[in-house]
Amino acid sequence: MKTKTTKTKVEKLFIILLLALGGIIVSVPFIWMISSSFKPESEVLQIPPSLIPENPTLENYENLFESMNFGVYLRNTLIIVLFSFVGLFFNAMAGYGFAKYQFKGREKIFYIVLATMMIPAQVTMIPVYLILNEMGLTNTMTGIVLPGLAAAFSIFLFRQFMTTIPTDLIEAARLDGAGEFYIFFRLIVPIAKPIFAVQGILTFIGAWNSFLWPLIIANDESLYTLSVGLSLLQGQYANNFGLQMAGAAFMVVPIIIIFSFFQKYIVEGFTMSGIK
């Protein structure tokens, strides 16, 4: 019995050491990126390399905002993030409608929404571009944010979660004289906080990393996002590794921070949405 217990402890210790080693290996590029972003150019290329900056400086970050217009890119990215959260509420309303309202063709429409998830986004970009071009919305912020207001996957997750909310609770609120919008915002939204949390995180990550669509729809550099600005940085300053590391760190660190704080909600949200 003691031998079996000892063997179990050794196996657990081996797994912990293996996971710790894997975590260190995965973390090295991120640590190197952040460290190099605070190094002057001469120190980034020195041999042997140093992990900790010997002469730390904020010059690379200052150049991002003074020479590369990263302030403009940041503003555009935050605008896209803001409107993506507006679209999050539209998706929640759609999911609530599919879950709790009875109307003709409900299931067929929902299946059509699900079918769009099987179509790659790259396939629909040209038709969407042509539609927006006819509407005169190309090279505008409206044209950038408009296609992202509705997402089939988000509607699906909200619908799956809201089917678990008792219908009797909604009927009781209606009998008390509550309107439909009052029920949604004061009753449904507080109950659906877990799925709002996970969708909010995924929405932020998707909007923060938006690259291909803004690059296609916008011709004016004043409409570019951080991801597009980072690609320009790699092209114009290919030999300035410190500046590239600063741009990459500015893109990645906020996502890492948010994901590290809210990763448990992502797992819980998917678990609760999938239990039926």
Side-chain angles (χ1 to χ4, degrees):
M1 188 70 177
K2 184 180 290 187
T3 304
K4 187 176 181 180
T5 304
T6 305
K7 184 179 180 181
T8 303
K9 289 182 179 179
V10 172
E11 290 176 350
K12 288 183 178 180
L13 180 61
F14 176 75
I15 293 173
I16 292 173
L17 292 176
L18 188 63
L19 291 175
L21 179 62
I24 293 173
I25 293 174
V26 172
S27 301
V28 166
F30 295 102
I31 297 173
W32 176 259
M33 174 186 67
I34 296 172
S35 173
S36 299
S37 69
F38 292 101
K39 295 178 182 179
E41 183 62 22
S42 58
E43 189 177 339
V44 174
L45 299 175
Q46 75 177 9
I47 302 296
S50 60
L51 186 61
I52 300 176
E54 297 175 0
N55 301 297
T57 177
L58 294 175
E59 181 181 358
N60 293 321
Y61 289 95
E62 292 174 355
N63 289 335
L64 283 179
F65 289 91
E66 292 177 0
S67 303
M68 289 296 299
N69 296 324
F70 259 63
V72 176
Y73 304 152
L74 176 61
R75 180 200 63 192
N76 296 336
T77 303
L78 292 177
I79 292 174
I80 295 174
V81 170
L82 176 62
F83 279 95
S84 295
F85 280 108
V86 174
L88 181 67
F89 276 94
F90 290 156
N91 296 328
M93 291 179 183
Y96 173 64
F98 281 121
K100 294 302 179 183
Y101 283 89
Q102 299 293 333
F103 54 89
K104 186 177 180 180
R106 183 185 70 165
E107 296 300 323
K108 292 182 180 179
I109 296 174
F110 182 66
Y111 289 145
I112 292 174
V113 173
L114 291 182
T116 62
M117 294 172 57
M118 296 183 288
I119 303 175
Q122 294 80 359
V123 174
T124 61
M125 281 185 177
I126 294 178
V128 172
Y129 179 88
L130 294 176
I131 293 172
L132 292 177
N133 188 47
E134 289 296 324
M135 298 171 63
L137 295 179
T138 54
N139 201 34
T140 64
M141 184 57 66
T142 303
I144 295 175
V145 301
L146 192 60
L149 292 181
F153 182 66
S154 181
I155 294 173
F156 167 73
L157 284 184
F158 277 114
R159 189 258 188 185
Q160 292 298 100
F161 182 89
M162 290 180 180
T163 52
T164 63
I165 299 176
T167 305
D168 294 341
L169 188 63
I170 300 173
E171 293 296 336
R174 288 172 179 161
L175 291 175
D176 289 337
E180 296 301 320
F181 281 100
Y182 183 91
I183 292 173
F184 179 78
F185 285 104
R186 299 300 296 272
L187 181 63
I188 302 301
V189 171
I191 295 176
K193 279 183 180 179
I195 195 63
F196 269 102
V198 62
Q199 279 301 107
I201 296 167
L202 296 177
T203 297
F204 173 81
I205 293 175
W208 184 263
N209 290 330
S210 55
F211 170 74
L212 187 57
W213 181 246
L215 182 62
I216 292 174
I217 201 72
N219 299 322
D220 191 349
E221 188 176 341
S222 63
L223 295 173
Y224 285 170
T225 60
L226 286 173
S227 295
V228 179
L230 185 60
S231 68
L232 294 177
L233 182 66
Q234 294 173 349
Q236 297 177 10
Y237 297 88
N239 296 323
N240 193 333
F241 297 106
L243 191 63
Q244 290 189 47
M245 292 300 103
F250 191 77
M251 276 291 303
V252 174
V253 169
I255 295 177
I256 294 176
I257 293 174
I258 291 177
F259 185 82
S260 62
F261 276 104
F262 298 102
Q263 57 179 327
K264 64 177 182 179
Y265 293 109
I266 295 179
V267 178
E268 291 177 0
F270 279 115
T271 302
M272 296 177 70
S273 299
I275 295 177
K276 280 291 292 172

